[in-house]
Amino acid sequence: MDRRVNDLNHGYLKEETKQKVRKSFFHSDFPAILLNDFFDQGFYTELKKKILSLNFKRDAVILHHSYAISSYKITSKEFCDFISFITKKKIDEITFSAYLLTWKDYMILNDKYLQKPGIDVIIDLTDNWNAELGGVVTFTDGKGTVYPITPTENSLAIVERKKNLQKYIQYINHYAKDKKRLLLIASI
Amino acid sequence: MKINNWLNPQNFSAEKIKRYQAAFSSNKPFPYLELANFIKPEKIIALLQALNEQEFSPKQADLFQFLQTSDLLYSDDPVLKEFIALFSSPELIALMHDVTNLKLNGKIDLFASIYQDTDFLLPHDDQLPGRKIAFMLYLNDLDEKDGGALAFYETKNKTPTKISKRIIPKAGTLVFFEVSPLSFHTVEEVVIDTQRITLSGWFYG
């Protein structure tokens, strides 16, 4: 990734903001944060362009998922330092799964695909996505409590997946037409 | 309980039951039967009127999105009570046994569901302890282009691979299949502004 003046929205680089975000992340009942306008606009546009140029491969395991997938490594120091600061984990690079979902795609819960506890980092690269189309990344504790991550372009979500917390991506319905849902998700 | 009040008797002659047995066991991708005109048209209307008085709640999870009643076994509605008596009756249980050769104990579950625009049920096999036969009675018609088809999957090593059978809802049709490790099915998304209304449940054994 080419370096710019800033990779992140400069507001998120301020010490005071970072402290607030970290406090919010660690002190909520559901340890999660959603940061809008996260990347600098130029970085975001370039990142999205690079992701769209990846070689996506269709993958369907009927009882778990249907989507196109690729991978992408972000090495931006600003980005990795920010994630390190918030999560208190040393991060030098993050390899993301890049997901491209369209009508009829989904990722559902399946005992054979249980995720170990960890921290999920989710970058939303979908412009103008309406939650009514489905495709919402949703966390659930398996007891009926769900935590949907509001789809927002150029947003970063960090979610601590404690024991029994799993995630799924809602089925995308026919109103999506030709729209594409583009997400980067990594577990650290 | 006189089952002939509800059912078309000509559909249940000894000869027809033999045909149903053969069809059920040979149907692919897993044993199922589709019985058109299972109940009399006036009973479909009575059931729709009864369901109009029931409360439907939205059900939404990773696997599904639709409206559903609570378990209708506890309903006070006289028409629904009669329907439950029909489906729990020794005559109907014997009929299901004759067709499927599965041992049933007379216990059933019964729910009504409404699938509207964008509603769906993703692939699963219905397996839970005691469930022997899944059934669904369609109470209205849909076209192929409307979505809402019940679709069955072929399997390889007990894993669903592709859809090989689609059933388009038609009022009065009863569909039932053996619940097994192979009974993977889905309800495809409804893609128009309509309602797909069914009574469905399981026979236990």
Side-chain angles (χ1 to χ4, degrees):
Chain A
M1 182 63 57
D2 295 337
R3 288 298 309 272
R4 303 182 162 273
V5 177
N6 286 128
D7 293 349
L8 310 192
N9 177 337
H10 64 89
Y12 291 116
L13 297 173
K14 292 177 185 167
E15 189 59 27
E16 187 189 348
T17 309
K18 288 200 291 184
Q19 291 288 358
K20 272 187 192 169
V21 170
R22 181 155 77 175
K23 195 175 170 190
S24 169
F25 178 62
F26 280 109
H27 291 88
S28 56
D29 291 341
F30 170 53
I33 49 164
L34 177 64
L35 305 176
N36 294 334
D37 294 321
F38 180 70
F39 290 108
D40 169 82
Q41 195 55 47
F43 185 92
Y44 174 72
T45 304
E46 199 174 315
L47 175 64
K48 187 170 174 176
K49 198 172 152 190
K50 287 189 176 180
I51 300 301
L52 283 170
S53 71
L54 293 174
N55 185 22
F56 281 90
K57 191 179 168 191
R58 282 299 304 176
D59 191 25
V61 174
I62 288 169
L63 296 179
H64 183 247
H65 64 254
S66 170
Y67 45 58
I69 190 165
S70 189
S71 70
Y72 187 77
K73 189 185 287 182
I74 295 185
T75 56
S76 156
K77 188 168 183 319
E78 264 177 26
F79 176 74
C80 293
D81 285 352
F82 183 86
I83 301 291
S84 296
F85 183 85
I86 303 303
T87 63
K88 299 181 181 175
K89 283 177 175 253
K90 174 131 180 57
I91 307 286
D92 296 321
E93 59 181 38
I94 302 181
T95 300
F96 286 87
S97 292
Y99 296 95
L100 188 64
L101 298 100
T102 53
W103 181 28
K104 299 184 182 181
D105 283 344
Y106 58 86
M107 182 167 77
I108 55 181
L109 305 175
N110 182 317
D111 287 347
K112 289 180 183 167
Y113 291 84
L114 289 179
Q115 299 167 291
K116 291 177 184 167
I119 293 177
D120 285 347
V121 180
I122 303 169
I123 297 171
D124 195 329
L125 300 171
T126 322
D127 295 344
N128 304 313
W129 188 266
N130 181 339
E132 288 184 0
L133 304 178
V136 177
V137 180
T138 304
F139 290 80
T140 177
D141 62 2
K143 294 175 186 169
T145 307
V146 292
Y147 307 95
I149 305 295
T150 307
T152 312
E153 65 196 67
N154 191 11
S155 67
L156 172 80
I158 307 177
V159 179
E160 185 181 4
R161 241 186 323 92
K162 293 185 172 174
K163 197 182 170 193
N164 297 330
L165 201 64
Q166 297 288 317
K167 69 173 173 293
Y168 62 89
I169 303 177
Q170 291 172 1
Y171 173 87
I172 293 182
N173 65 49
H174 69 100
Y175 286 107
K177 295 183 180 166
D178 297 329
K179 281 188 178 176
K180 292 171 179 171
R181 181 94 172 100
L182 192 59
L183 294 162
L184 297 180
I185 302 179
S187 293
I188 58 172
Chain B
M1 177 70 202
K2 289 182 180 171
I3 68 171
N4 286 350
N5 288 347
W6 280 78
L7 309 184
N8 293 308
Q10 67 273 21
N11 289 342
F12 302 99
S13 63
E15 185 197 343
K16 286 222 166 152
I17 288 174
K18 268 190 179 176
R19 261 197 260 163
Y20 297 156
Q21 288 169 335
F24 179 82
S25 59
S26 63
N27 274 342
K28 302 289 180 202
F30 48 79
Y32 78 91
L33 196 63
E34 181 180 1
L35 290 179
N37 304 311
F38 178 74
I39 62 169
K40 294 178 176 175
E42 64 267 28
K43 294 299 184 185
I44 298 171
I45 295 166
L47 284 168
L48 285 169
Q49 286 169 342
L51 292 178
N52 206 30
E53 302 302 317
Q54 300 297 307
E55 189 177 336
F56 286 79
S57 307
K59 303 285 176 189
Q60 189 170 25
D62 58 321
L63 201 63
F64 51 76
Q65 175 187 296
F66 50 74
L67 301 172
Q68 194 177 56
T69 61
S70 53
D71 192 338
L72 292 175
L73 294 186
Y74 305 103
S75 169
D76 291 333
D77 184 279
V79 173
L80 293 172
K81 277 183 148 177
E82 210 178 313
F83 182 82
I84 290 157
L86 167 71
F87 266 60
S88 309
S89 67
E91 294 95 328
L92 197 87
I93 297 293
L95 176 69
M96 296 304 292
H97 170 73
D98 288 346
V99 173
T100 65
N101 203 29
L102 292 168
K103 199 172 174 185
L104 306 174
N105 60 16
K107 180 180 177 289
I108 65 164
D109 279 339
L110 183 70
F111 301 89
S113 306
I114 298 178
Y115 286 68
Q116 306 183 110
D117 191 9
T118 75
D119 286 351
F120 62 89
L121 174 62
L122 293 176
H124 65 289
D125 62 12
D126 263 14
Q127 283 200 100
L128 272 182
R131 285 182 181 176
K132 296 292 179 191
I133 300 170
F135 67 87
M136 49 242 52
L137 176 67
Y138 298 117
L139 298 177
N140 65 330
D141 292 354
L142 267 74
D143 284 337
E144 196 173 350
K145 63 177 170 39
D146 300 342
L150 173 68
F152 296 153
Y153 284 87
E154 282 181 12
T155 52
K156 190 175 180 184
N157 301 324
K158 294 185 180 173
T159 301
T161 53
K162 65 172 182 178
I163 289 172
S164 63
K165 172 69 186 175
R166 280 188 173 83
I167 295 172
I168 313 299
K170 189 159 176 51
T173 294
L174 179 77
V175 177
F176 55 92
F177 60 81
E178 181 180 359
V179 176
S180 78
L182 305 179
S183 57
F184 289 104
H185 61 284
T186 186
V187 176
E188 295 182 317
E189 180 190 351
V190 173
V191 295
I192 66 158
D193 184 14
T194 189
Q195 291 193 323
R196 174 194 191 271
I197 308 170
T198 59
L199 279 167
S200 58
W202 296 271
F203 290 99
Y204 285 78

